[in-house]
Amino acid sequence: MPTDETENIYTNPALLKKDMSDRHGVMMAEPGIITDRSLPGLKRAAPPFYFMVLSFVIWGRALFGYGFVLLGDMVFTPAMYPSGSMLGPPRGLMSVTLVFNIVHVFSRVLSGMLVQKIILFLTVFLAGLLMYYWVPCKTAWGKLFAGTLYIVNPFIYVRLLMGHWGFVLGYALIPVVIRHVQRVLDEPNPANASRCGLWLGVVAVISSHCGVMAVIIALLMWFFNIFTAGNRRKRAVYFVAALLIFTLLSSFWILPAFQSEGLESAIDRSDLEAFQTQSTSAAGVGVSVLGMYGFWKNKLDPLLPRSGLPLWPAFTAIFAALSIIGLVFNWRNGETGAVAKVMLAVFIIGFFLSLGSRAPLTGGLFGYLFDHFPVIKMFREPQKFTALIALSYSVLGALGLEKLLMPAKRDDPRAGIVRTGAFILVILLVFAYSYRMLGGLWGEAKPVKYPGSWSEARKLLDNDRGDFKVLFLPPYWYMRFDFEQGDRTVASPLPYYFSQPGIPLFRVDVGRFKLNEQSTDRYVRSALREAENNSNLGALLAPLNVKYIIFARSDGSEYLEYVLDQNDLKVVKQWPDLVLLENKADAPHLSLAFDRGTYRSWAEVGRVAGDGVLLGSYLEEGEKTYIPERSGLPLREGSSSTNKIEFRFPDTIPPEAAAPGETWLLLGEPYDKKWSLNGASPLEQLGVTCAFQIDSSVKGNQVIEYKNGSLAAGYIISLASLLVSISLVMLGTLKHRHGKVKYEEQPEPEDNG
C-alpha cells in the first residue's frame, strides 16, 4: 500500500509537478508557457549558444586575433607575474593579490594570452547566461531581454573599456548570489546557508565592490521576505549564518585592509572629488545615472554611445517604462512580488549611492559614511553603484516586457507574429543604445604584441640570480606605449612582464589630484628631481635595493632622458623603445651601518649622496642634514622569500668598517613596522626603508621575518571557514541524495481502476 506521502503526490497535481521536477530535473510548464528546462536538448542549448555568439560579437577579433588586449586597467602579459605576494607586505587588497596569483598560475600553464581571452569571453557569456537562468520570467522572451540588457548597456561598456574585468566578472555572478540567497530564505538549512556564504565570498574575492553590492541585495531580499508566511526566526538565523560565513571566508582580505595603515589612511576626500560621478550632458548628473552613464573620466565622452545618439534619454525612458510596467503588474504577485519590491529598493539605493556626495538628499550622509567607514572608502568612485540600476532595469524590464507580450486566452495566430516582431524590436533597441559595445568595443579592443625588446631585456635580467629590485620608469601608473597602437593610456604592464620585484609605486595622477602617494613614491620622485642636477641617481636608489632600471621610451618619458646620462648608471643595452640600465653603486638588500646621521629633507640628501654614504649610517629625520662619509658593509643572504630573509651576521668586522658606537642593519624594503628581527620592529631609514639596531646578542645565523598578525589570523579564519562550509555543503548534498533514493524505493501505488 502506498504511504500518505505517495498518496499526496499522486492525488495532488501541485505536489506531482514538484516531485517530477526534483526527480528528473524538469520544470513542468503551465499550458502555453515554454520554460527553459522543459525544452528538448537542442532548444535548451539555444541560450548558451546565443550568449556565446553575443560574446563573440562584442569582443570581435580581440578573442580570435593573436596578441594581448590592453584596455585601461586590464594589462595581461605572457606570465602575468603578480606584483604582490600572499605572504609578504600587502600591496592593496589581498583579495586582488589572490586573484592575480591565480591568474599567474594559469598563465604559466596555459599562457597569459589564452587566460586573458578566456576571461574576456566569460565577462559577457556568464553575465548574460546567468541572468537568463535566474530572472523570474516564464517566457524565453523575458529571459533573453534580461540577459541581454544586463550585459549590453553603457555602464558595462565603460567598465570593459576601462579594463575592469574583475568588476564585470563579479557583476556577472550576482544572479547566482541572488538565487542562493533565495534558497536560504525558502529552505533555511546549514547546506544552503553555506552555499550562499561561499558564493558571496567568491564574488567579493573577484570584486570587493560587487561583494558589497551583493550583500546589500541580500539584506533587501531578507527584509522583504520577513513579511511572508513561514518560520521567520529560522530564516533569519540561517540568513545571518550565511552572512557570517561570508565574513569569515573574507577575513584574509578584510582584516589587513581595514587596519589603520590600510584603506583608511590611503583614501580621503580628494579621492572622492577626483572620481565623483559626472554628467554626460546638460540634462544633469541624475539623468546621466538613470541612463547608466556618469563615469568620472570625461575624456571618454567621444567614445560613449550617447555621442552618436542625440535622443539617448528616450532609450532610458523605454527601459524605465518597461520596468514600471513590470513593477506594477508584479507588485502583488505571489511568485514575483517580492522580487519586484527588492528590485525597486535596489534601484533607489543604487541611484542615490551612484551620485555619491553629489546626491541632493543623501550626499551629506554618503560623505559622512565615506569619512568614517572604511568599507565605503572602497567606493571612492561611487558610479560603480550604477550596477544596481542596470540590474533593476534588466529584471523589472524583463517582467514588464513579458507582461506586454503575454498571449491572450483567445489569441489570433497573427498576433504571435506581432509579438515576435515587438520582441525583436526591443532587443534591437538594447543593442542600438549601446552600439559601441559591438565589434570589439567598436574597434577599441584589439590584440597587440609586446616588442621583442621586452623579451630580450627580461632574459638579461633573468641571467642575474642576485637579490635585487628593478625600478620601472617613467614612474607613472598609466602610460601610453607605441606598440599598443592607440592614443589612450593603460596601466603599465612592466611590473607584470618582468619576474623581478619592482619598487612599489602607488601614486595615480588624476588631473590636479595626486592620489595614493606613499613614501616610496615621494622618495623616488625626489631622487629623480635631484639626480637631474647632481647625476647621482644610482646612489639615491641604492637604499631601495635597486640594481636595474627599465626605462620605457614613451610620450611621457622625454623629460627623464637625463636618466640615461647619470654618472653612476651604466647602459646595459638599449632598443628604440626600451633601455636597460645597471646601477654602478652597490645596492645590497642587507648591509651593516656603523654610524648615525640626520637629514632635513630629501632634497639636501640628493646633493650629498654618493660613494655609498646612504648605506653607511642610520639616517633619521632631524633639524639639519649630517651624513657621515663612510660606506656600509654588504651582507650575503641565505634562503629568502617575500616574508623571510635569512642571513649570517659576520664573525669579524673589517677594521676599516668597524667603529665604536652603535651598529645598524639596513634592509632595502619599504618601511613596514611588521618586519621583525629577534622580536624587534624596525625604525625608518631615510624615511623610506627599514633599519634595525644591532646589539651584542645578534650573532651567527639570523632571520628577518614579516609578521602580520591580522593577515595570519585572516588566513586561519578563512581556511577554517572554507573547510567547514564545504563540509556542510557535502553533508547536505549527501542527505538530499539519500532522501531521493529512499523515496524512489517506495512501491508504486496500486491501480484500483
Side-chain angles (χ1 to χ4, degrees):
M1 294 294 294
T3 63
D4 291 340
E5 180 182 13
T6 55
E7 282 182 357
N8 289 336
I9 288 173
Y10 285 97
T11 58
N12 188 325
L15 291 177
L16 176 60
K17 174 181 171 182
K18 181 178 184 300
D19 173 66
M20 292 296 290
S21 298
D22 291 339
R23 294 179 66 182
H24 304 291
V26 175
M27 181 181 293
M28 304 300 291
E30 299 292 344
I33 302 297
I34 298 177
T35 59
D36 177 67
R37 298 183 66 188
S38 63
L39 294 173
L42 182 61
K43 291 186 177 180
R44 288 178 62 183
F49 179 77
Y50 170 79
F51 289 108
M52 178 183 70
V53 172
L54 179 59
S55 186
F56 293 161
V57 170
I58 287 177
W59 287 115
R61 66 189 182 102
L63 280 181
F64 303 103
Y66 183 85
F68 296 88
V69 178
L70 305 183
L71 289 171
D73 291 317
M74 181 175 61
V75 288
F76 277 69
T77 65
M80 276 302 289
Y81 292 104
S83 59
S85 166
M86 296 300 297
L87 300 176
R91 296 183 181 180
L93 290 177
M94 292 304 296
S95 55
V96 177
T97 302
L98 174 61
V99 170
F100 273 83
N101 276 271
I102 293 173
V103 170
H104 167 65
V105 172
F106 279 99
S107 297
R108 299 305 299 266
V109 176
L110 301 176
S111 85
M113 187 185 304
L114 180 58
V115 170
Q116 184 188 35
K117 293 184 186 301
I118 292 173
I119 290 174
L120 292 179
F121 172 77
L122 291 178
T123 54
V124 175
F125 178 76
L126 286 181
L129 187 64
L130 294 176
M131 173 56 75
Y132 176 94
Y133 283 143
W134 168 74
V135 68
C137 293
K138 296 180 179 180
T139 65
W141 285 339
K143 289 175 173 289
L144 283 173
F145 173 84
T148 304
L149 182 59
Y150 190 58
I151 190 62
V152 183
N153 60 70
F155 172 75
I156 293 299
Y157 164 72
V158 171
R159 295 298 156 180
L160 294 177
L161 192 64
M162 291 304 298
H164 297 171
W165 60 271
F167 179 88
V168 179
L169 274 182
Y171 170 86
L173 295 177
I174 286 179
V176 180
V177 172
I178 296 175
R179 177 189 176 193
H180 283 280
V181 171
Q182 193 61 53
R183 289 183 66 177
V184 172
L185 297 174
D186 291 341
E187 301 177 56
N189 59 54
N192 284 341
S194 297
R195 289 189 185 96
C196 181
L198 284 168
W199 276 110
L200 279 168
V202 169
V203 170
V205 165
I206 296 174
S207 168
S208 57
H209 302 92
C210 289
V212 172
M213 287 187 280
V215 170
I216 291 174
I217 296 169
L219 289 170
L220 291 172
M221 291 177 67
W222 172 77
F223 176 78
F224 283 101
N225 273 270
I226 62 176
F227 301 107
T228 61
N231 193 332
R232 298 178 182 178
R233 178 176 298 179
K234 187 176 181 181
R235 282 183 290 169
V237 168
Y238 282 104
F239 176 74
V240 172
L243 294 183
L244 179 62
I245 290 170
F246 156 68
T247 304
L248 296 176
L249 287 170
S250 305
S251 296
F252 79 96
W253 66 266
I254 290 179
L255 292 180
F258 297 149
Q259 297 178 54
S260 59
E261 65 270 23
L263 286 174
E264 199 168 342
S265 60
I267 299 176
D268 55 29
R269 278 295 184 115
S270 60
D271 295 76
L272 192 59
E273 186 175 352
F275 295 116
Q276 65 182 340
T277 305
Q278 299 289 345
S279 174
T280 54
S281 71
V285 179
V287 174
S288 298
V289 169
L290 290 176
M292 294 178 281
Y293 286 107
F295 189 67
W296 63 271
K297 194 172 184 179
N298 285 334
K299 290 182 179 180
L300 292 182
D301 280 2
L303 302 178
L304 299 181
R306 70 153 188 89
S307 63
L309 296 172
L311 297 178
W312 65 267
F315 290 82
T316 304
I318 292 173
F319 300 140
L322 287 174
S323 300
I324 292 172
I325 293 172
L327 178 66
V328 171
F329 283 95
N330 288 274
W331 186 264
R332 297 185 182 278
N333 188 299
E335 295 181 3
T336 57
V339 173
K341 295 179 179 71
V342 169
M343 287 299 114
L344 174 62
V346 165
F347 178 87
I348 295 172
I349 291 174
F351 175 73
F352 284 104
L353 290 179
S354 294
L355 296 177
S357 59
R358 303 183 67 174
L361 299 176
T362 60
L365 175 61
F366 185 92
Y368 176 84
L369 295 175
F370 183 88
D371 291 336
H372 295 87
F373 293 90
V375 67
I376 302 299
K377 288 194 172 187
M378 292 194 302
F379 289 89
R380 61 180 181 176
E381 185 208 331
Q383 200 257 350
K384 283 189 171 76
F385 281 112
T386 304
L388 299 177
I389 296 177
L391 171 65
S392 302
Y393 280 153
S394 301
V395 177
L396 292 176
L399 292 172
L401 180 64
E402 186 174 66
K403 178 63 180 178
L404 294 177
L405 300 181
M406 186 71 71
K409 292 183 178 180
R410 294 182 179 181
D411 200 11
D412 188 334
R414 290 175 296 181
I417 299 176
V418 174
R419 287 195 300 273
T420 302
F423 169 74
I424 293 174
L425 177 61
V426 172
I427 291 295
L428 290 177
L429 287 176
V430 173
F431 284 112
Y433 188 51
S434 305
Y435 69 94
R436 292 190 71 97
M437 287 191 73
L438 309 179
L441 306 184
W442 215 249
E444 293 295 324
K446 50 185 177 294
V448 298
K449 301 176 184 177
Y450 285 104
S453 57
W454 289 43
S455 177
E456 293 180 35
R458 185 177 60 193
K459 291 178 181 178
L460 291 172
L461 289 179
D462 289 343
N463 290 332
D464 190 331
R465 301 296 182 181
D467 190 358
F468 59 85
K469 294 183 180 64
V470 180
L471 176 64
F472 300 108
L473 293 178
Y476 302 132
W477 193 277
Y478 297 98
M479 291 189 287
R480 291 184 178 88
F481 296 90
D482 292 337
F483 68 86
E484 65 171 308
Q485 304 171 11
D487 58 354
R488 292 186 296 107
T489 59
V490 298
S492 175
L494 290 167
Y496 307 105
Y497 192 93
F498 294 90
S499 62
Q500 291 73 21
I503 296 298
L505 300 177
F506 301 94
R507 175 171 146 178
V508 178
D509 295 346
V510 180
R512 61 187 177 88
F513 298 101
K514 316 300 180 186
L515 307 176
N516 302 348
E517 194 171 49
Q518 307 293 312
S519 59
T520 48
D521 294 281
R522 292 188 289 270
Y523 182 83
V524 167
R525 289 174 184 269
S526 174
L528 289 170
R529 287 193 300 270
E530 297 307 314
E532 184 174 10
N533 297 321
N534 302 302
S535 193
N536 59 349
L537 184 60
L540 288 168
L541 296 177
L544 292 172
N545 187 218
V546 173
K547 186 176 181 180
Y548 293 98
I549 294 175
I550 295 288
F551 185 90
R553 287 195 167 106
S554 63
D555 292 343
S557 65
E558 293 88 348
Y559 84 101
L560 289 174
E561 286 290 329
Y562 64 85
V563 170
L564 307 181
D565 299 319
Q566 295 290 296
N567 292 335
D568 51 6
L569 295 179
K570 177 180 69 175
V571 175
V572 178
K573 190 170 183 178
Q574 59 179 319
W575 302 264
D577 64 315
L578 202 69
V579 183
L580 175 61
L581 301 106
E582 183 176 1
N583 195 347
K584 294 181 182 179
D586 286 336
H589 196 203
L590 290 173
S591 61
L592 290 179
F594 303 97
D595 213 329
R596 187 171 188 161
T598 58
Y599 71 96
R600 185 167 60 180
S601 68
W602 286 332
E604 294 186 6
V605 170
R607 288 192 282 270
V608 299
D611 297 326
V613 296
L614 298 186
L615 295 174
S617 306
Y618 164 61
L619 302 174
E620 59 184 336
E621 190 172 8
E623 296 181 356
K624 64 177 182 178
T625 298
Y626 165 68
I627 300 178
E629 294 185 4
R630 59 181 305 147
S631 301
L633 177 65
L635 297 181
R636 184 184 298 272
E637 294 181 33
S639 176
S640 298
S641 62
T642 55
N643 68 322
K644 183 181 292 186
I645 303 167
E646 298 181 359
F647 70 98
R648 181 174 179 80
F649 195 83
D651 297 325
T652 59
I653 303 297
E656 63 274 14
E662 300 169 316
T663 302
W664 304 85
L665 176 66
L666 307 184
L667 172 62
E669 294 289 340
Y671 175 76
D672 191 319
K673 64 182 180 182
K674 295 180 181 64
W675 286 105
S676 173
L677 174 62
N678 294 333
S681 298
L683 300 173
E684 283 189 285
Q685 164 73 355
L686 261 179
V688 67
T689 57
C690 301
F692 296 93
Q693 189 167 9
I694 300 297
D695 56 32
S696 57
S697 64
V698 179
K699 296 179 181 178
N701 296 326
Q702 298 291 325
V703 178
I704 300 175
E705 294 182 281
Y706 180 80
K707 296 181 178 180
N708 188 328
S710 298
L711 183 59
Y715 281 139
I716 294 172
I717 296 171
S718 296
L719 181 59
S721 303
L722 179 63
L723 295 176
V724 171
S725 300
I726 292 176
S727 299
L728 290 174
V729 170
M730 293 177 64
L731 287 173
T733 303
L734 291 173
K735 183 177 179 181
H736 177 70
R737 289 181 179 176
H738 178 71
K740 287 179 64 177
V741 171
K742 185 176 180 180
Y743 164 72
E744 290 173 357
E745 291 175 352
Q746 296 288 339
E748 294 292 333
E750 296 180 5
D751 185 0
N752 297 321

